[in-house]
């Protein structure tokens, strides 16, 4: 039997990158999935790649409360329940403590941290009713600092601590909460953050030396761990922050 048969899931940032890979992995394992994002085109492309009718699309901005409310309500109305919440929407913007303007700081915290808490609050009653669980997308940058991405590093460290706090508060109500901390994964995250194609190619090439296993990762590799944490096999795991990073968190900064 498929591992997530009968489960219903909401995945933010499901139109691309790791969110897309997780949504597709969940769908292949029998889950019914709602994916959310700001651009309908990538959402539809993800849905078209899934087993027929298993993924539904909702265009929404997770920074807007009215969109968050509509997203959770639509998910429950469409799927009939909510077992799994994956907070994958996020942004990365470069900047040091001197160059990061406060608008960029607030935007990063709003998308990467505030939306996670806000969606968890809205989803919690449904997750509690189903004894479901939450998977938050953090980063190796939440475990250790990197120069030039100040707001991103701080936001992901906040996601890790939020995950631990939520896990304690929701455990008595039967809901597990865990986080993934990927290293460099081939997605459009850095390009969306303003990195040029040339610089991104060089960044990926440099990843062969910055990751002890000698390569950067694929979104599907992160999705495999998300699938495990969402499944009943991980029924005694909560409050964890799990590196899936080719060993990068163990290496010295370069």
């Amino acid at each position: 039997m498929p591992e997530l048969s009968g489960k219903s899931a909401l995945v933010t940032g499901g139109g691309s990158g790791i969110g897309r890979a997780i949504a597709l992995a969940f769908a292949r394992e029998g889950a019914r999935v709602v994916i959310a994002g700001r651009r309908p085109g990538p959402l539809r492309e993800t849905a078209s790649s899934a087993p027929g009718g298993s993924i539904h699309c909702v265009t929404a901005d997770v920074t807007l409360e009215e969109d968050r409310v509509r997203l959770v309500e639509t998910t429950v109305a469409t799927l009939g329940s909510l077992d799994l919440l994956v907070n994958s929407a996020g942004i990365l913007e470069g900047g040091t403590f001197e160059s990061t303007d406060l608008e960029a700081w607030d935007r990063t915290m709003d998308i990467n941290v505030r939306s996670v808490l806000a969606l968890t609050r809205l989803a919690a009653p449904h997750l509690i009713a189903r004894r479901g669980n939450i998977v938050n997308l953090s980063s190796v940058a939440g475990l250790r600092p990197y120069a030039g991405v100040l707001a991103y590093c701080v936001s992901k460290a906040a996601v890790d601590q939020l995950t631990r706090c939520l896990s304690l508060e929701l455990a008595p109500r039967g809901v597990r909460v865990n986080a993934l901390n990927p290293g460099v994964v081939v997605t459009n995250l850095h390009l969306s953050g303003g990195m040029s194609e040339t610089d991104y190619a060089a960044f990926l090439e440099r990843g062969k030396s910055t990751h002890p296993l000698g390569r950067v990762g694929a979104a599907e590799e992160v999705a495999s761990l998300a699938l495990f944490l969402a499944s009943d096999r991980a029924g005694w795991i909560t409050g964890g922050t799990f590196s899936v990073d080719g060993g990068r968190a163990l290496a010295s900064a370069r």
Side-chain angles (χ1 to χ4, degrees):
M1 178 180 294
E3 194 150 27
L4 298 182
S5 180
K7 302 292 187 180
S8 52
L10 168 58
V11 181
T12 68
S16 63
I18 293 172
R20 179 183 190 275
I22 290 174
L24 291 173
F26 282 16
R28 285 193 296 268
E29 285 299 322
R32 297 164 299 141
V33 184
V34 166
I35 56 173
R38 288 180 290 185
R39 295 177 297 147
L43 295 176
R44 288 194 297 267
E45 194 281 327
T46 298
S48 70
S49 300
S54 58
I55 291 183
H56 306 268
C57 306
V58 177
T59 304
D61 183 341
V62 295
T63 67
L64 301 176
E65 178 65 8
E66 59 268 28
D67 278 21
R68 292 190 293 256
V69 170
R70 176 173 55 82
L71 176 56
V72 173
E73 289 179 347
T74 301
T75 298
V76 174
T78 301
L79 305 182
S81 60
L82 180 57
D83 297 281
L84 311 169
L85 171 63
V86 179
N87 288 298
S88 182
I91 61 167
L92 184 156
E93 296 189 53
T96 66
F97 85 96
E98 294 172 310
S99 65
T100 300
D101 64 68
L102 292 181
E103 287 186 0
W105 174 275
D106 290 344
R107 183 166 54 249
T108 299
M109 296 301 164
D110 197 8
I111 295 173
N112 291 4
V113 186
R114 190 171 184 269
S115 73
V116 175
L117 174 59
L119 276 169
T120 298
R121 283 177 170 172
L122 292 167
H126 307 285
L127 296 172
I128 291 167
R130 301 280 291 183
R131 299 183 70 84
N133 68 83
I134 300 169
V135 178
N136 294 326
L137 261 293
S138 182
S139 168
V140 65
L143 301 174
R144 51 169 297 164
Y146 292 93
V149 282
L150 175 67
Y152 184 74
C153 288
V154 174
S155 73
K156 292 305 185 179
V159 168
D160 286 348
Q161 188 70 334
L162 177 59
T163 296
R164 290 185 281 264
C165 291
L166 290 172
S167 71
L168 282 179
E169 295 189 11
L170 287 169
R173 288 175 267 186
V175 175
R176 299 184 296 108
V177 189
N178 292 289
L180 301 177
N181 296 78
V184 175
V185 175
V186 180
T187 68
N188 64 356
L189 179 66
H190 290 82
L191 296 172
S192 298
M195 186 178 285
S196 70
E197 293 276 1
T198 300
D199 288 345
Y200 186 56
F203 177 70
L204 295 180
E205 181 64 26
R206 191 164 64 252
K208 295 178 180 179
S209 62
T210 58
H211 295 70
L213 285 181
R215 65 175 178 87
V216 298
E220 291 74 17
E221 293 175 298
V222 183
S224 293
L225 184 52
L227 176 61
F228 168 73
L229 290 172
S231 74
D232 292 340
R233 288 184 293 151
W236 209 45
I237 300 174
T238 195
T241 51
F242 296 91
S243 296
V244 50
D245 65 355
R248 192 175 192 196
L250 304 175
S252 60
R254 284 186 280 180

